[in-house]
Amino acid sequence: MPIPKLTDAERDKALAVLPGWSLRDDGLAITRRFTFADFSEAFAFMTRVALLAEKADHHPEWANVWNRVDVTLTTHDAKGLSKRDVDLAQAIGEMA
């Protein structure tokens, strides 16, 4: 069964309850920057998120530079945002 893409209204409603997350310019993904005290804290965060993402079978696009982790969530099968992105964003936000 294909994963449905969120409608614009569903996307806007989700963003309203996802503090710190913003819509990427093309409207197909959400992004958030997390900043930590140092590299070790950033890497520990990434490790926790990796375990969560693996369990959810939904993996972020991300980049790490020293104390910063930039996370992008999108669902390629849906060709944009899906409920899977919203759920993972909420879980990541609670973990941060």
Side-chain angles (χ1 to χ4, degrees):
M1 176 181 237
I3 299 169
K5 181 179 172 181
L6 295 179
T7 65
D8 290 351
E10 290 170 329
R11 179 197 66 207
D12 294 344
K13 184 177 178 182
L15 277 170
V17 296
L18 292 173
W21 292 89
S22 58
L23 190 62
R24 194 171 68 188
D25 289 344
D26 64 6
L28 300 177
I30 53 176
T31 63
R32 182 171 173 187
R33 173 170 285 173
F34 297 88
T35 305
F36 302 91
D38 55 28
F39 177 76
S40 293
E41 283 189 20
F43 193 83
F45 169 77
M46 290 180 73
T47 301
R48 292 190 307 273
V49 171
L51 294 172
L52 180 70
E54 189 65 19
K55 185 176 180 181
D57 192 30
H58 190 58
H59 306 94
E61 298 173 15
W62 57 10
N64 165 241
V65 177
W66 189 59
N67 70 335
R68 188 179 72 233
V69 179
D70 294 318
V71 180
T72 299
L73 298 175
T74 190
T75 303
H76 299 287
D77 292 342
K79 296 180 174 60
L81 288 170
S82 75
K83 184 174 180 334
R84 296 180 83 187
D85 301 305
V86 174
D87 292 345
L88 188 55
Q90 287 175 327
I92 292 170
E94 291 169 7
M95 187 180 295

